Amino acid sequence: MRYRKKVYGKTMCEVTDYHTGRTYKKQSARQKKEKVTPLQMALQNQKNAESQLRMLIDINFHEEDFYITLTYEIEPTLEQAKKDITLFIKKLRRRYTKLGQPLKYIYTCEGERRIHFHILVNRIQDMTVKELKGLWPHGYSKKEAYQGEWRDAVRIASYFVKESDRKLEATGFKRKWVSSQNLEKPKVKKERLHSNTWAEAITPPKGYYVETDSIVEGVSLAGYPYRFYRLIKIEEPKSNQKWWKTKELNTPRNRVHVERCST
């Protein structure tokens, strides 16, 4: 018997098969648990943070939302930078409120050399360069379109967490990222599986395919085996898209073979 955890986003679902002391076979040899080093714990925390952030991004932000970069012409103090980004969010929220729409955002601060911010914001209408300058008069500001694909959520989450990890102590920001309170949380489903091992083949459910590069089999810090993989939702074909392009991807349900991890 083992556990399976599924975390559902908008374009993907992340699956983890794992064991605990209750589900692991008594006759199986558990890998000897070693003392967890600070580096191992830091890497695990980073992995957990990335997982949480990419699903938040995937479920809350869509194609053509804004990816904004804010920099300084004159380097501020840390305290001033905190005040500036807080004021920027307040002014942005005020603008959204006037339009009768809620503001959703996630931002991170970088500052090992020069302090600057990266922000994901939901789009309600176009924002001109002049408007953005009015909201951020401290230096250069850049607005790009978020692409809205699963790859973008994975890439941005990794960038936010890794950059903030490297520069967290330098900037003094306690959290790896800051987000609005109105973000939708991903749905999490946990279940017990009767089998104590996972099959060599990963067969995705209908409407998904397996991202093969995401498959990881390993041993947790507690000494139990686990397997992680990512399922990508298959987009409905557009009217001008050949039907076989989607059919080819979904037949025979993209079964992926991996080496079995026995217990």
Side-chain angles (χ1 to χ4, degrees):
M1 183 176 291
R2 59 193 156 90
Y3 289 108
R4 171 168 290 172
K5 177 182 177 183
K6 295 180 181 178
V7 184
Y8 291 90
K10 181 176 79 274
T11 66
M12 58 184 169
C13 172
E14 295 191 338
V15 183
T16 305
D17 286 349
Y18 63 99
H19 286 280
T20 66
R22 292 185 176 183
T23 61
Y24 205 56
K25 284 183 177 179
K26 292 182 179 180
Q27 64 268 27
S28 300
R30 172 188 177 188
Q31 181 166 318
K32 184 179 179 181
K33 182 179 178 181
E34 299 180 359
K35 185 177 180 180
V36 179
T37 67
L39 177 59
Q40 288 176 314
M41 184 56 67
L43 291 174
Q44 183 63 47
N45 290 339
Q46 177 176 307
K47 184 171 70 173
N48 294 341
E50 280 189 39
S51 178
Q52 180 185 1
L53 182 55
R54 64 176 169 255
M55 300 308 282
L56 280 176
I57 291 173
D58 183 58
I59 203 169
N60 286 282
F61 296 93
H62 310 272
E63 184 180 356
E64 299 298 333
D65 280 343
F66 296 136
Y67 181 78
I68 299 172
T69 300
L70 305 174
T71 67
Y72 283 92
E73 184 175 350
I74 300 175
E75 187 70 0
T77 63
L78 176 61
E79 301 307 319
Q80 185 59 50
K82 290 180 178 180
K83 292 179 182 178
D84 292 339
I85 190 62
T86 300
L87 182 58
F88 175 84
I89 295 297
K90 284 183 178 179
K91 290 191 291 186
L92 196 61
R93 181 180 287 112
R94 194 177 303 129
R95 180 177 183 270
Y96 276 54
T97 300
K98 287 182 179 180
L99 295 171
Q101 297 293 332
L103 169 66
K104 289 187 175 184
Y105 66 85
I106 297 176
Y107 76 78
T108 188
C109 174
E110 301 178 32
E112 187 175 32
R113 295 183 180 178
R114 296 185 65 85
I115 294 176
H116 61 283
F117 298 94
H118 296 289
I119 311 175
L120 264 174
V121 178
N122 63 311
R123 176 177 180 162
I124 56 174
Q125 68 175 32
D126 199 15
M127 185 186 300
T128 65
V129 173
K130 183 178 180 180
E131 286 177 315
L132 187 54
K133 285 183 177 180
L135 295 171
W136 185 261
H138 310 291
Y140 176 75
S141 55
K142 181 181 179 182
K143 173 176 63 72
E144 302 173 77
Y146 174 62
Q147 300 300 309
E149 297 185 4
W150 66 267
R151 296 179 183 85
D152 302 300
V154 172
R155 176 179 55 83
I156 290 177
S158 177
Y159 180 74
F160 273 25
V161 171
K162 288 180 181 178
E163 290 301 308
S164 63
D165 261 355
R166 279 208 300 263
K167 302 169 183 178
L168 196 61
E169 185 176 346
T171 59
F173 282 79
K174 295 181 179 180
R175 289 180 285 177
K176 292 179 174 61
W177 72 85
V178 179
S179 63
S180 56
Q181 298 298 313
N182 59 346
L183 295 185
E184 182 182 350
K185 301 298 188 296
K187 293 180 180 179
V188 179
K189 181 181 178 181
K190 293 183 180 180
E191 56 186 335
R192 281 192 177 187
L193 304 179
H194 294 295
S195 173
N196 202 50
T197 61
W198 35 80
E200 293 181 9
I202 299 176
T203 304
K206 184 177 180 181
Y208 288 88
Y209 70 92
V210 179
E211 184 210 348
T212 54
D213 288 342
S214 71
I215 300 172
V216 176
E217 290 197 11
V219 178
S220 69
L221 296 182
Y224 299 110
Y226 73 90
R227 179 165 75 179
F228 170 89
Y229 55 91
R230 186 176 296 121
L231 300 171
I232 308 302
K233 186 176 292 186
I234 298 173
E235 295 183 8
E236 292 294 330
K238 298 178 181 178
S239 57
N240 61 345
Q241 184 179 9
K242 299 294 184 180
W243 65 272
W244 51 264
K245 288 184 178 180
T246 300
K247 185 176 180 181
E248 180 181 291
L249 186 63
N250 200 29
T251 305
R253 297 177 69 184
N254 193 40
R255 179 172 293 179
V256 177
H257 291 266
V258 294
E259 183 179 351
R260 176 177 294 174
C261 181
S262 59
T263 61

